[in-house]
Each structure stands twice: as structure tokens, then as C-alpha cells.
Amino acid sequence: MAAHQEKKPSEERKHKSTQNHTRTSQVQWGRAWEVDWFSLASILFLLMFAPLIVYYFIMSCDQYQCSLIDPVIDLLTEKKHLSDIWNKTPTLTYRAAGIYTLWVAFQVFLYVFIPDFCHKFIPGYVGGVQEGAVTPVGVVNKYEINGLQAWIITHVLWFANAYYFHWFSPTIIFDNWIPLLWCANILGYAVSTFAMIKSYFFPTNAKDCKFTGNFFYDYMMGIEFNPRIGKWFDFKLFFNGRPGIVAWTLINLSYAAKQQELYGEVTNSMILVNVLQGIYVLDFFWNEAWYLKTIDICHDHFGWYLGWGDCVWLPYLYTLQGLYLVYHPVQLCAANAIGILILGMIGYYIFRTTNHQKDLFRRTNGNCKIWGKKPEYIECSYMSVDGTKYYSKLLTSGFWGWARHFNYTGDLMGSLAYCLACGFEHILPYFYIFYMTILLTHRCIRDEHRCLNKYGKDWKRYTAAVPYRLLPGIF
Ligand code: NDP
């Protein structure tokens, strides 16, 4: 299984260290080995309630026109019982099961059997076989980057169907949205459970497994670092990108088609949401090779958090704005529409530029220009489990000199723009900005804890040089 994994980190200098006394202090990077009560309580809460939260949001739209308060009022005043709501909820259907199976099978086919050809003719696009980052045990995995191609093929087929073949209605996703939710849950739980069993009996790289001894924590946060089947089927890359993010733009298109069907027009707010989220999704696939260096792939293990999250949480909750606009079509005045577009584009510019600056800096080992100047940085070192010492650099120029996670700030501005497009009548479409603020703030803290363990005093020098996390002078 490990034959495809090579110990040849291309970006960072390394040498075998004889200083094993420093090893124990530096090898504890990655997620926690010991589970504190707060983490455990949060995990139990999420395992129990996250599926209910998703159900509640989708049901609120289906039965209460996207009002989050009305179901509670109905239950408290005993106008309705839980069983009434449940009985009105569409069940799993053969049709939805068929659609979902075909969808996932098609994405697996595109991922596994069609090697990337986009990088051969699209200038500047990095696809094909690419290396990931060094794992805690010093392994560098190879990945087939063909997400952009999968996205293009899927969307070409979608439009070909909508305008030419008419095999199915473009509203198919909206029309089967709750039955599909049950299918997504089945896949999410199945893949997380399979990943857990696999880590015990046939892990891809046994040394990169983390067993905390706590069943719930291991199930949620994952044991295996990079589970794979065969040489190329990488769980993290597939599940995050394909059933989740390829679906994102299709789901939005289906919502736009439903608006057209119901009201005879597609509102400018729906177009804004489709365009802004479409740019974000396309950016993800254009930069899929870069994604290999982000926290999801570099540091998170594969468990329920990624498995179920990618199958259910992401496609259902990241698309709430479009769903809301089907029930409440909002036509924005030109000034508001332009203002929201500008906010979304500035957010995107900050998000992309910040990520690009770090990527360029790391790829060229600092031999590049950031904002026209040679970059400033802090030299740092860390050690992998086998005692190999690696050297790296932390950028302090460009947006990375403004704050330690300015890419998150840009992401949050873009997220706010999607929500604002829905007006102020209901709170449901604003869930995304609340969620992203919590997710990214928690991510800052989680990542910095990991970096402190990894880089030790070098990280402290970095935080002294760049004291703020998200907003210079504030946080
Ligand atoms: P980053 O891309 O910021 O990666 C953090 C890692 O970068 C650190 O662990 C560290 O890794 C390295 N690093 C930190 N500071 C520096 C520095 N100054 N110079 C060089 N390297 C540094 O974070 P994420 O992977 O979380 O996010 C990537 C993007 O994805 C973000 O823009 C984020 O907004 C977006 N995102 C979106 C989500 C969504 O649901 N929509 C969810 C999560 C992220 P190392 O060990 O290599 O030093």
C-alpha cells in the first residue's frame, strides 16, 4: 500500500538529526493525542446534533418557508407535535437513491479513471500528478489532480442536459432535496465508519495513524491521516472535492432553475449567489494542487468530521442562500446588488492573494517577490517522528505581515456577501457567516496550537512579529 509514498520532500530542506533530545518536544504536531473534556463534550454534541441541525434547516424551508422560529413556536404552543413534522418529511425514495448512487459513481469514475488533461492545454493550471506536504512521519504522498476536469465535464453535461438532451429536469436536485439528504447521510456515516475500521485492520500508512483511545474522538476526528484505496483513491481529496464541492455549483444551478420554474424569472440575488459561490468553487478546483498544502489535507485525519461533513454538512448548509431564495425571491436594487458584488469580489481578492502569496513563497523557498519586494520571513525548524529535522520558513510580508490568517478574513468577507444577497427578512441565510466565523476562528486557534507544537520557539518569534490573527489592531 505504501509503495506510492516517497520520502522526498521537495520544498523543505532536511537532514537526519542526531539531536533526539529535542524530538519529544517537536513531534507532537498534528491533532491532539490526549482528549480534554471540552473537546470530548464538543464532539459528542456534534455527533448527536449536527445531523439534526442540518435536518432542522432543510425542514424549516420545506415546511415553514425557511423560518427557524415558527417550528419552535408550533411545538411550544402544541399546535404541532414532533411526529406531525416528521410525518410531513419526505422519506428516502428509490428515485433519490438511484440519482445519488449514479452521482457518486460518476464522480468516482471521473476521479479514478480519467487522468488530468486540462494541465496540458490550459496555461498556468497545475494539474496531473502532484506531491502533497510532508506528513508527521515524513511521508510525501502523490495525488492525481483532476478536479477541474471533473468539474468541467460535470457542468458541460449539466448544461447539455438542460438545453439539449432533456434527460432530466434541472430542478431535479431541489425536487429531491430531502430524500437526497437521507442518501448523503447514509454515505457520510458509511464512509466514516469504513475509515475507522480500515485504520484498525488495513491502514494505508500505519505510522501516520493516531489512536487516542477515546472511541468518539477517534471516530469524529479520524485515525488514519491519508486513507487510500489502491494507488490513487485518496479519501480526503475525493470526499472534500467531489461529492461536496462539485455538487455545490450544481445545487445552486438547480435552485436557479426552480426559481425560473416557479416565478418565470431568476432574481439578481440568485444570480449573485450563483456567481460569487461559483467563483469560490472554480477557484478551489483551479487551485486544487495548492489545496494539498492546506490544513484539511496536511493536518486533519480522516474521520466523521471530514467524511460526514463533506457528504452532508457542506452541500446542505453551504447552499442555504440559494435554497432560501427559491422560497423568498429577492430582487435587489442596483446599488445594493453592486455593493454586494464589490464586497464579495474584494473578499475573494484578499482570500486568493493571501493564499497565493504563501503558496508562491513556499514553492520558491522564498525566492520570489511579494508586492514587488523580496519577502521577509522567519526561519524555523521541526522534527518528524523518525528524527529527521526539516527546515521551513514563515512569511511575514504581504498580507501575511498584516495578520496571521488574513486569508480567513477575505473568506469571511465573501461569506458575508452571499448572506447579504438574501436581504434581512430571515435569519436562515445568515447561518453561513455565523458558522464560518466560528469555524475559521476555531481553526486559527487549532492551527496555531499545532504550529506552536511543531515550531516551538520559532513560532513564538513569528507571533511576536505578526501579533494579530484576523484583523490588524483588533484580533
Ligand atoms: P492556511 O492556508 O492559512 O494554512 C495554515 C498553514 O500554513 C499552517 O498550518 C502552516 O503550515 C502554514 N503557515 C502558517 N503561517 C504561515 C506563514 N506566515 N508563512 C508560511 N506558511 C504559514 O489555512 P487553511 O488550510 O485552513 O485554509 C486555506 C484556505 O481555505 C483559507 O483561505 C480558508 O479561508 C479556506 N477554508 C475554507 C473553508 C470553507 O469551509 N469554506 C474551510 C477551511 C478553510 P506549515 O505546517 O506548513 O507551516
Side-chain angles (χ1 to χ4, degrees), residues 207-256:
K207 285 187 185 161
D208 262 328
C209 287
K210 271 194 179 181
F211 294 92
T212 64
N214 185 300
F215 173 84
F216 294 108
Y217 189 88
D218 286 351
Y219 185 68
M220 170 93 173
M221 300 307 289
I223 296 171
E224 268 201 87
F225 195 49
N226 289 304
R228 286 188 170 199
I229 292 180
K231 191 172 173 187
W232 295 112
F233 189 87
D234 184 89
F235 279 50
K236 274 194 213 166
L237 194 63
F238 177 77
F239 281 100
N240 192 41
R242 309 313 166 78
I245 301 185
V246 175
W248 190 344
T249 32
L250 289 187
I251 295 164
N252 280 343
L253 287 170
S254 184
Y255 293 153

Side-chain angles (χ1 to χ4, degrees), residues 187-391:
L187 181 65
Y189 277 97
V191 77
S192 318
T193 309
F194 177 75
M196 177 125 187
I197 294 168
K198 180 179 171 320
S199 60
Y200 278 95
F201 296 106
F202 48 105
T204 303
N205 188 328
K207 285 187 185 161
D208 262 328
C209 287
K210 271 194 179 181
F211 294 92
T212 64
N214 185 300
F215 173 84
F216 294 108
Y217 189 88
D218 286 351
Y219 185 68
M220 170 93 173
M221 300 307 289
I223 296 171
E224 268 201 87
F225 195 49
N226 289 304
R228 286 188 170 199
I229 292 180
K231 191 172 173 187
W232 295 112
F233 189 87
D234 184 89
F235 279 50
K236 274 194 213 166
L237 194 63
F238 177 77
F239 281 100
N240 192 41
R242 309 313 166 78
I245 301 185
V246 175
W248 190 344
T249 32
L250 289 187
I251 295 164
N252 280 343
L253 287 170
S254 184
Y255 293 153
K258 195 69 194 178
Q259 257 201 352
Q260 178 72 38
E261 182 187 286
L262 290 175
Y263 311 107
E265 62 162 0
V266 178
T267 59
N268 60 3
S269 54
M270 180 66 97
I271 294 171
L272 264 178
V273 167
N274 266 264
V275 168
L276 290 176
Q277 295 189 347
I279 291 171
Y280 193 74
V281 167
L282 207 51
D283 173 275
F284 173 86
F285 287 116
W286 181 267
N287 296 290
E288 200 180 18
W290 153 82
Y291 175 70
L292 300 177
K293 308 288 161 72
T294 65
I295 293 174
D296 285 350
I297 297 273
C298 287
H299 311 309
D300 285 343
H301 292 236
F302 187 87
W304 188 86
Y305 169 74
L306 287 179
W308 181 86
D310 293 337
C311 291
V312 182
W313 188 269
L314 191 156
Y316 276 83
L317 296 190
Y318 284 26
T319 57
L320 278 178
Q321 290 83 28
L323 181 65
Y324 173 85
L325 291 171
V326 174
Y327 292 93
H328 300 270
V330 172
Q331 191 64 32
L332 296 162
C333 70
N336 285 353
I338 291 168
I340 290 167
L341 182 65
I342 290 173
L343 175 68
M345 294 313 292
I346 293 176
Y348 172 71
Y349 170 77
I350 293 174
F351 161 84
R352 174 48 36 223
T353 310
T354 312
N355 286 325
H356 177 68
Q357 286 177 346
K358 186 186 85 173
D359 184 47
L360 178 70
F361 172 75
R362 280 279 171 98
R363 244 185 316 115
T364 58
N365 199 22
N367 294 314
C368 60
K369 289 211 166 157
I370 305 283
W371 288 347
K373 285 194 233 149
K374 264 198 91 53
E376 291 173 13
Y377 54 83
I378 285 173
E379 295 263 13
C380 51
S381 66
Y382 62 96
M383 219 174 287
S384 64
V385 182
D386 65 359
T388 309
K389 191 166 185 179
Y390 293 90
Y391 291 91

